Amino acid sequence: MELTRLIVKGGVISPGELRVIVNMALEQGLDAISFGSRQDIIFPKGFTPIEKEKTGKNYFVYPNEKSGNNIVSSYVSTDIFRNTPWLTGNKFLYILEQFKEQPKLKVNITDPKQQLVPLFTGHINFIASDHEDYWFLYIRLPKWDKMEMYPVLIYSWNIAEIYYAIEKILEEEPDSVDMIFQLVSDALDTNNRTIDKPLNIPFYPFPYYEGMNRLGIDQYWLGLYWRNNLYDLDFLKEMCDLCFDCKIGKICITPWKSFIVKGIPKERKLDWEKFLGKKGINVRHSLLELNWHLPVAMEWALNLKTFLVRTLDQFDISTYGLTFGLSEYNREGHYFTSIVVEKNELPKDLESIKIRDTYNVLYAKNFDPNTKEYIVHAQDVDKLELPTILIELSRKYFEDLGNLVVEVNKTATKKEKAAQDIHQCPECLTLYNSEYGDVTQGIEKGTLFKDLPVDYCCSLCGSPKSNFIVLTGEKLNTI
């Protein structure tokens, strides 16, 4: 693949930095850029290498270069989705700042309570624990067959130095976590903590990450998604100027070929809506379309996704909570979607003959990609068979999900069930549960839905209180 990558540390970039990059692309006659699965920026084939003295802080990886990997982070999810209480956006930024040299390995720094950013797709995976400022570490070096857990929790301010210590001992070809732990402990004096309970990764449905959404009381966040992953440079340039005008300091790239702008002032919401409207930007794709992960610049993948999404939509199939990935068979890296469709490689001796592509379909154990275990559901099937197979898996997902919820609820009494006060926004499926309140809007725990202010709106999409529907009985058991 003759593409150029621009490394964006942690997926966090300032409007000023993005504007410089946009200008670089415009100077080469480009009209669009793309985003990659590791929260980086992708330039199309033919991008001319830029002299180092002109790149500034930007780190480019050109075609056929293997040097340089990005740090993936959950910074993009903070404040807008579920998160570990102690893990703030500023904490992510402080940790990222400690990485002064470009990592040679893939590094993930993530929050296990969010679903947007994958936890285990790196060689080195730091995952927040329940203990403030301490992280689990899961390692799977390039030649390892399986992932192993580091025997202690890592302190926030030791993350970067521990990573560089691991990178430094790669020449010794460590073959186990125990060997790495011994070598790192000999080299560094760090503030580790004993692991007193295993990593708990709750399974939540995949979030809706597009459009203008409420952020606290007086701000909004905006998620933008282009179906073809070709983001217009003129649009991005004007958007950066609007960010400057609104004093917005960060833009966040997601692993789903989209980006998020946080901190839009309430009084400027109309300006942003006008801007998007004048540019003809659609900000209400269905969740069915948003929950796909595709390889960059692969026309077959985009065409196949379009076919599958349209077919599933035609049959009115719900995929709420599921994610889908398209991939070439035996690709490097690890999957991070609930369901994967692999395109089989054409045998060498048949390349000259025009034959139809075939596909394999896999799904994650319990449909949770964080299990890291995939089950083969179908092999060597034709494209036209794929919609039926995906519908089968979607139904299996909801059947299993219902069974799991029933089992959990076995310990609950009838009185406890009757006391539940849960309402759902029909627009984005966000729940209001009186047991938890709504901390983003200052609503205390225990506040019944009927006691919410008349002007209460959905914390995600802004839908009014009057639109919410009560969840009881069977509806409640499907959540």
Side-chain angles (χ1 to χ4, degrees), residues 14-73:
S14 72
E17 291 168 329
L18 180 56
R19 202 172 190 279
V20 169
I21 292 159
V22 166
N23 285 333
M24 286 180 183
L26 286 169
E27 287 172 5
Q28 295 208 17
L30 301 179
D31 54 15
I33 56 175
S34 301
F35 297 123
S37 60
R38 291 197 63 79
Q39 297 173 297
D40 40 15
I41 292 174
I42 309 293
F43 296 91
K45 180 179 178 180
F47 183 80
T48 305
I50 297 172
E51 297 174 13
K52 285 190 176 180
E53 57 268 20
K54 294 182 180 180
T55 60
K57 294 180 180 179
N58 298 309
Y59 187 91
F60 288 89
V61 180
Y62 296 105
N64 303 318
E65 283 187 354
K66 293 184 179 179
S67 61
N69 272 302
N70 202 16
I71 302 172
V72 163
S73 84

Side-chain angles (χ1 to χ4, degrees), residues 134-195:
Y134 281 92
W135 305 69
F136 288 93
L137 171 56
Y138 285 79
I139 301 176
R140 182 174 183 170
L141 295 183
K143 294 182 180 180
W144 287 16
D145 293 328
K146 62 179 182 178
M147 187 167 289
E148 296 185 29
M149 186 181 75
Y150 205 68
V152 294
L153 297 179
I154 307 298
Y155 186 50
S156 289
W157 314 125
N158 294 143
I159 283 178
E161 61 179 327
I162 284 178
Y163 166 75
Y164 288 122
I166 293 173
E167 187 180 280
K168 192 173 181 179
I169 62 178
L170 285 179
E171 293 179 1
E172 300 185 41
E173 298 186 353
D175 57 4
S176 70
V177 158
D178 290 338
M179 182 177 177
I180 290 176
F181 176 64
Q182 187 62 52
L183 292 171
V184 170
S185 299
D186 290 345
L188 299 175
D189 180 17
T190 53
N191 187 15
N192 301 328
R193 178 173 179 148
T194 302
I195 297 175

Side-chain angles (χ1 to χ4, degrees), residues 193-249:
R193 178 173 179 148
T194 302
I195 297 175
D196 55 3
K197 56 183 177 179
L199 172 63
N200 176 33
I201 306 175
F203 178 76
Y204 297 117
F206 187 67
Y208 191 91
Y209 59 83
E210 195 189 25
M212 190 75 73
N213 304 279
R214 191 182 288 270
L215 175 60
I217 298 173
D218 57 356
Q219 291 185 331
Y220 285 82
W221 64 269
L222 172 66
L224 289 173
Y225 163 83
W226 263 241
R227 182 178 286 121
N228 60 5
N229 193 20
L230 294 173
Y231 288 81
D232 181 77
L233 293 174
D234 290 329
F235 169 83
L236 292 176
K237 191 172 183 179
E238 289 187 45
M239 188 198 72
C240 288
D241 291 338
L242 189 52
C243 286
F244 287 136
D245 195 35
C246 294
K247 297 180 171 58
I248 294 169

Side-chain angles (χ1 to χ4, degrees), residues 185-421:
S185 299
D186 290 345
L188 299 175
D189 180 17
T190 53
N191 187 15
N192 301 328
R193 178 173 179 148
T194 302
I195 297 175
D196 55 3
K197 56 183 177 179
L199 172 63
N200 176 33
I201 306 175
F203 178 76
Y204 297 117
F206 187 67
Y208 191 91
Y209 59 83
E210 195 189 25
M212 190 75 73
N213 304 279
R214 191 182 288 270
L215 175 60
I217 298 173
D218 57 356
Q219 291 185 331
Y220 285 82
W221 64 269
L222 172 66
L224 289 173
Y225 163 83
W226 263 241
R227 182 178 286 121
N228 60 5
N229 193 20
L230 294 173
Y231 288 81
D232 181 77
L233 293 174
D234 290 329
F235 169 83
L236 292 176
K237 191 172 183 179
E238 289 187 45
M239 188 198 72
C240 288
D241 291 338
L242 189 52
C243 286
F244 287 136
D245 195 35
C246 294
K247 297 180 171 58
I248 294 169
K250 304 293 181 187
I251 294 169
C252 312
I253 301 171
T254 82
W256 300 86
K257 317 296 195 295
S258 59
F259 67 94
I260 286 173
V261 180
K262 303 180 196 176
I264 296 173
K266 183 177 181 180
E267 64 274 13
R268 300 300 302 273
K269 178 173 179 277
L270 183 59
D271 293 332
W272 279 84
E273 289 175 341
K274 283 183 176 180
F275 169 65
L276 296 173
K278 284 191 294 184
K279 292 291 184 180
I281 305 300
N282 174 23
V283 290
R284 282 296 166 195
H285 293 90
S286 70
L287 184 59
L288 172 60
E289 180 153 2
L290 293 175
N291 58 0
W292 288 76
H293 180 262
L294 275 62
V296 177
M298 292 283 190
E299 190 175 349
W300 72 265
L302 184 58
N303 291 340
L304 181 58
K305 176 200 168 181
T306 302
F307 164 72
L308 293 173
V309 167
R310 286 177 178 172
T311 307
L312 293 176
D313 188 53
Q314 189 177 5
F315 284 97
D316 245 0
I317 299 300
S318 171
T319 60
Y320 178 62
L322 290 173
T323 53
F324 299 86
L326 300 181
S327 171
E328 292 180 320
Y329 183 62
N330 278 339
R331 86 172 188 34
E332 291 184 9
H334 307 289
Y335 300 131
F336 62 89
T337 57
S338 310
I339 297 172
V340 178
V341 178
E342 291 179 334
K343 179 185 177 185
N344 285 317
E345 188 177 6
L346 198 64
K348 296 280 185 187
D349 53 349
L350 296 179
E351 287 180 348
S352 59
I353 305 172
K354 191 172 183 179
I355 60 175
R356 295 169 75 94
D357 290 318
T358 62
Y359 304 88
N360 307 321
V361 182
L362 304 81
Y363 67 95
K365 183 180 179 182
N366 299 328
F367 292 94
D368 181 358
N370 289 323
T371 63
K372 307 183 294 298
E373 183 179 335
Y374 281 85
I375 301 162
V376 177
H377 182 73
Q379 287 183 290
D380 300 320
V381 297
D382 188 80
K383 170 183 172 180
L384 297 178
E385 298 176 73
L386 290 175
T388 302
I389 293 170
L390 296 187
I391 290 170
E392 283 175 10
L393 286 174
S394 177
R395 287 174 178 159
K396 176 176 171 55
Y397 161 72
F398 283 109
E399 285 170 9
D400 292 351
L401 184 64
N403 292 337
L404 288 172
V405 172
V406 170
E407 199 160 314
V408 170
N409 285 341
K410 279 182 180 177
T411 58
T413 66
K414 290 183 179 179
K415 183 178 179 181
E416 287 172 330
K417 284 186 177 180
Q420 287 183 306
D421 175 47

Side-chain angles (χ1 to χ4, degrees), residues 82 422-425 429-433 456 459 468 471 479:
R82 295 180 183 88
I422 301 177
H423 291 68
Q424 186 173 46
C425 171
L429 305 181
T430 293
L431 299 179
Y432 176 82
N433 187 338
Y456 176 80
S459 58
F468 277 64
L471 292 184
I479 299 300

